[in-house]
Amino acid sequence: MSSDGTSAKVLKLPEVLDLNAASRLHEQVLAHKGEDIDIDASDVSRVGAQCLQVLLAAAKSWRAEDQNFKVQPASDVFIKTLQLLGISDEALLPKEMLK
Amino acid sequence: MDMNEIKEIFFQECEEQLAELESGLLRLNDGDTDPETVNAVFRAVHSIKGGAGAFGLDDLVSFAHVFETTLDCVRSNKLEASQDLLKVMLRSADVLADLTAASRDGGTVESSRTSGLVAELEAYAKGQPLPASAAAPVAVAPESVKTEAPAPVAEAPEPTDDSGFQPVPFSFDALDGEDELAIDGGRSVFTVRFKPRSDLYAKGNEAVLILRELAKLGDLQVRCETDDLPSLDMLDPEGAYFSWLIRVETESDEEAVRQVFEFVEWDSTVEITAGADEEAFSAPAASGEDQPMAAVPFDLSLLEDEPPVSAEAAAPAAPAPAAGEPALAPANMPLAAKAIAEAEKKETVVPAVPAAPQTIRVDLDRVDRLINLVGELVINQAMLAQSVVENESGGSSAVNLGLEELQQLTREIQDSVMAIRAQPVKPVFQRMGRIVREIADMTGKQVRLVTEGENTEVDKTVIDKIAEPLTHMIRNAVDHGLERPEKRTELGKNAEGVLRLSAKHRSGRIVIEIADDGAGINRERVKAKAIENGLIAPDANLSDEDIDNLIFHPGFSTADKISDISGRGVGMDVVKRSIQALGGRISITSKPGKGSIFTMSLPLTLAVLDGMVVTVANQTLVVPLTAIVETLQPEKADIHSFGPSQRLIAIRDTFCPLVDVGHILNFRSDLANPIDGVALLVESEGGGQRALMVDAIQGQRQVVIKSLEANYTNVPGIAAATILGDGRVALILDVDAVVTASRGQPLSPDMMLAATG
């Protein structure tokens, strides 16, 4: 996936992505539908499974529509949580972490 | 209901199962070949194992499993229930009981006992019984019984598969898994399938935290199943779509893994199986790199348990472009089917248990309160009846009728309530069977225990308290009473000694007898020993009975050498004391060469009794009706003097000693004239009849026993007290004590001695 990054909108994720944040995140992501998007997860210090569900569903939708969706940059916590949960979707994990 | 309560119930059930197990084994031992008996025995062990598994009592589980395996061989007729095998099994039942007790109260069971039996049982199951001596070294080391519980399990021969038996008694998969538990350098591998429901998140739980918790246990390999995830528009942000397949490699046991999910088990589907599910992981790993989103093929791995079905089911699903939904159905269905299949398997495991009467467990305190209240009710009813009689003016028949009905009802209530507390002595007697076996083993004697009257019912409190003195007496009987087999043969007796334990109701008391056919009391030795210990003067002239009773003296032991079993110098006097504390008596009759009989008679405490209310020297006494054979009006011609103070009464063709109750109890110093009174012919514990002389009979009444010991102190000749309808206290006569006293010895000294122990 790849290429640009310059033209894409950036969605900055809040620090805490617990279950209370899931609905809001869902709305925010939906609002950007149809355009390339970069998710900035660098501030994330806590993330729950439900928010990841939203992000993963979004990644799939974007891919189905051939739009760019990628998470970059991402905090350690964010990456570690993804790994812990066994989610290996490359759209969510910054490329260099995929090994 | 917290875990401890549940556990407590489990242990209570264990006790029942153990009793069932033992009685079943004993029946088999006696030649019972009914397959249902074998089944019952099997079920008992099986249930204990199942429950123990649920509580993580590994020692218990592993031992029960081996036991069960051998039993299963017997059940399927692969193995004959020989005497030798039954001996091993009876000992195994004992160990199982010990393990249960150890699990409940802490403490440990000697590992050598467990491991030796495990080896023996396994050998039997394999069809090659070991000689008992060879068994020990083969055994699993004690520590390993705990950590490597599955080891003996794995080696155990395959039980009959056609019976559908799998060691999966509980709804948990715990035991199921253990059979295949992969042990890899002390680390086990579990496969966890975890699917939260949205409730889990709604309640503030978080899958991430649970996985993190799980990660603390060991190494995880996690795969997230994302197929349920709908498209973004359809997504409920607070729904639960992810599920996980996790491979845990840990040093902890399954219980620890399960505990991680403890708080979320109601809001998620958690399935923990032992062993690796390698295919489940290898499949996605391979395809995962090139096609991260190709979720469908992943699911094939889930179905690896049933490859043919899943392959077919998944094949058409794979090409489906929309990743999730179509594939979902086939993916989940086999899982569900598997779950159902498992459930069915579990159901077939436990054969239909014969319908047992339904029971509930009730706190004993509640029953006690009820009994006390009923006691008050009875007294109150008696008072009411009395005041109605006193105020009787015109004879209102309605009141009398109502009163009569009330009386009947009260009586019925009383009987029912008493029946709640009354329990057969069977469980205590069963325990004695074990003690006899153990001691017989230790002393090398052959003993057969015969029990009689096991269903004699007695108050629960009495049952609880007789176990200890009974144990002591049984030990004594085997250790000191019975001779060694060689000696018995020499004497022309059967090499196998017989110990007879019987219970019966007699005169409103329960009488328990322990009779052995051993050597009897060696009176010369007893006397010599007593002189040596300074208990009696060297020149004392004692009757045989007196000598026999010396063994109840504190600090007296007849055994030449002190054995482990009994005879530490705290022998029968302790027994006597504890029986007296119960308001009971103990006596001994012994015939040299023929054996001894210990008889203890205990009150049915708290009981209500039917009594005859009599007057003696202006005192009101109650004589238990059960003791009275008949009443008669003595005639002058029937009375015969005998010696200075003894009198006999002729009843039909026999003479019977006449006992003046008032004199015995020191109500009056001189003997009353028999012609003025009434004679009550009573049967005493010894079996003899006596005519008790009282002044007058007031009537027959049901009275509530109020313990004198508890409220005042033990009074010789008086069993207890009661409250009459007019509110006065009446004493209940201890018929046996009075009869004993009438044999010459005055009442007090002997009894006082007894009371002070």
Side-chain angles (χ1 to χ4, degrees), chain B residues 13-310:
Chain B
E13 281 170 0
C14 266
E15 259 169 49
E16 286 160 20
Q17 302 287 2
L18 286 167
E20 186 75 16
L21 167 64
E22 184 165 346
S23 64
L25 285 174
L26 287 173
R27 276 206 301 279
L28 291 175
N29 207 8
D30 291 344
D32 186 345
T33 50
D34 187 355
E36 195 36 53
T37 311
V38 184
N39 274 338
V41 169
F42 179 82
R43 268 196 307 271
V45 179
H46 189 79
S47 312
I48 292 174
K49 188 181 93 168
F55 291 106
L57 307 169
D58 296 339
D59 291 2
L60 202 51
V61 172
S62 55
F63 186 78
H65 183 86
V66 179
F67 195 177
E68 187 187 25
T69 308
T70 311
L71 277 170
D72 192 52
C73 292
V74 176
R75 195 171 68 153
S76 57
N77 292 324
K78 282 186 188 172
L79 199 59
E80 196 208 345
S82 64
Q83 289 290 316
D84 287 339
L85 174 59
L86 281 165
K87 252 186 185 164
V88 173
M89 288 204 168
L90 278 167
R91 273 193 289 137
S92 304
D94 295 346
V95 169
L96 197 62
D98 287 346
L99 282 168
T100 312
S103 305
R104 176 177 46 198
D105 310 325
T108 48
V109 175
E110 264 178 72
S111 54
S112 57
R113 289 177 62 201
T114 336
S115 51
L117 278 172
V118 164
E120 279 185 66
L121 285 171
E122 280 180 355
Y124 269 110
K126 283 179 191 146
Q128 18 183 260
L130 297 175
S133 54
V138 190
V140 192
E143 288 78 14
S144 61
V145 171
K146 188 157 203 145
T147 50
E148 295 184 340
V153 173
E155 287 159 20
E158 196 63 22
T160 43
D161 273 332
D162 49 279
S163 66
F165 165 75
Q166 283 278 312
V168 197
F170 241 60
S171 54
F172 293 166
D173 304 345
L175 305 162
D176 190 12
E178 262 172 290
D179 281 357
E180 44 191 301
L181 193 61
I183 294 193
D184 187 9
R187 291 166 76 89
S188 6
V189 175
F190 299 98
T191 304
V192 183
R193 290 192 172 83
F194 172 46
K195 178 163 176 41
R197 284 190 285 274
S198 52
D199 287 351
L200 183 143
Y201 299 107
K203 287 178 186 169
N205 280 313
E206 175 55 73
V208 175
L209 296 179
I210 289 161
L211 266 81
R212 196 173 294 161
E213 199 62 33
L214 196 59
K216 285 182 188 162
L217 289 179
D219 298 336
L220 298 192
Q221 201 179 324
V222 184
R223 203 158 56 75
C224 183
E225 309 287 344
T226 57
D227 307 323
D228 282 2
L229 201 61
S231 67
L232 189 60
D233 327 342
M234 308 287 291
L235 180 106
D236 171 6
E238 299 191 352
Y241 304 101
F242 285 171
S243 60
W244 284 272
L245 178 63
I246 309 156
R247 179 182 186 274
V248 193
E249 197 181 325
T250 172
E251 283 162 19
S252 314
D253 58 3
E254 180 166 329
E255 194 54 35
V257 176
R258 195 172 295 284
Q259 265 170 15
V260 172
F261 296 95
E262 198 175 1
F263 298 110
V264 296
E265 59 186 345
W266 305 113
D267 299 320
S268 58
T269 313
V270 181
E271 198 184 307
I272 301 175
T273 47
D277 202 345
E278 300 297 350
E279 281 179 58
F281 288 96
S282 55
S287 57
E289 276 168 34
D290 342 325
Q291 311 167 271
M293 289 311 290
V296 179
F298 284 37
D299 280 315
L300 292 177
S301 59
L302 259 183
L303 314 175
E304 50 96 22
D305 285 333
E306 292 149 281
V309 183
S310 56

Side-chain angles (χ1 to χ4, degrees), chain B residues 580-756:
Chain B
Q580 276 169 351
L582 279 173
R585 274 187 301 277
I586 183 166
S587 63
I588 177 173
T589 51
S590 180
K591 280 188 194 140
K594 294 267 173 66
S596 320
I597 302 171
F598 287 87
T599 309
M600 51 180 172
S601 109
L602 296 157
L604 308 164
T605 50
L606 261 178
V608 176
L609 75 92
D610 279 309
M612 189 160 298
V613 184
V614 298
T615 313
V616 177
N618 295 325
Q619 302 282 327
T620 307
L621 291 177
V622 178
V623 184
L625 207 58
T626 43
I628 300 176
V629 181
E630 62 174 300
T631 62
L632 42 106
Q633 186 75 53
E635 305 214 352
K636 196 161 182 23
D638 296 336
I639 310 292
H640 303 274
S641 283
F642 180 75
S645 62
Q646 302 290 319
R647 282 173 297 180
L648 295 176
I649 181 168
I651 301 168
R652 290 177 284 274
D653 291 338
T654 56
F655 285 102
C656 187
L658 192 61
V659 179
D660 184 350
V661 175
H663 182 69
I664 297 270
L665 293 178
N666 291 324
F667 286 168
R668 55 185 163 220
S669 53
D670 54 332
L671 292 171
N673 185 358
I675 314 300
D676 299 339
V678 183
L680 310 176
L681 191 64
V682 296
E683 185 131 13
S684 73
E685 241 159 61
Q689 291 193 339
R690 292 286 188 281
L692 298 189
M693 209 180 64
V694 300
D695 295 353
I697 293 177
Q698 286 183 20
Q700 187 181 320
R701 201 164 303 164
Q702 190 181 40
V703 297
V704 180
I705 297 176
K706 298 277 180 191
S707 162
L708 264 188
E709 283 93 346
N711 296 313
Y712 175 56
T713 173
N714 183 24
V715 179
I718 301 298
T722 188
I723 300 168
L724 294 176
D726 57 6
R728 280 192 302 145
V729 173
L731 301 175
I732 300 172
L733 199 67
D734 186 342
V735 173
D736 289 312
V738 169
V739 168
T740 312
S742 74
R743 287 202 187 112
Q745 319 89 320
L747 192 62
S748 345
D750 177 39
M751 294 306 274
M752 285 316 283
L753 185 76
T756 50

Side-chain angles (χ1 to χ4, degrees), chain B residues 482 566 660:
Chain B
L482 295 174
S566 51
D660 184 350

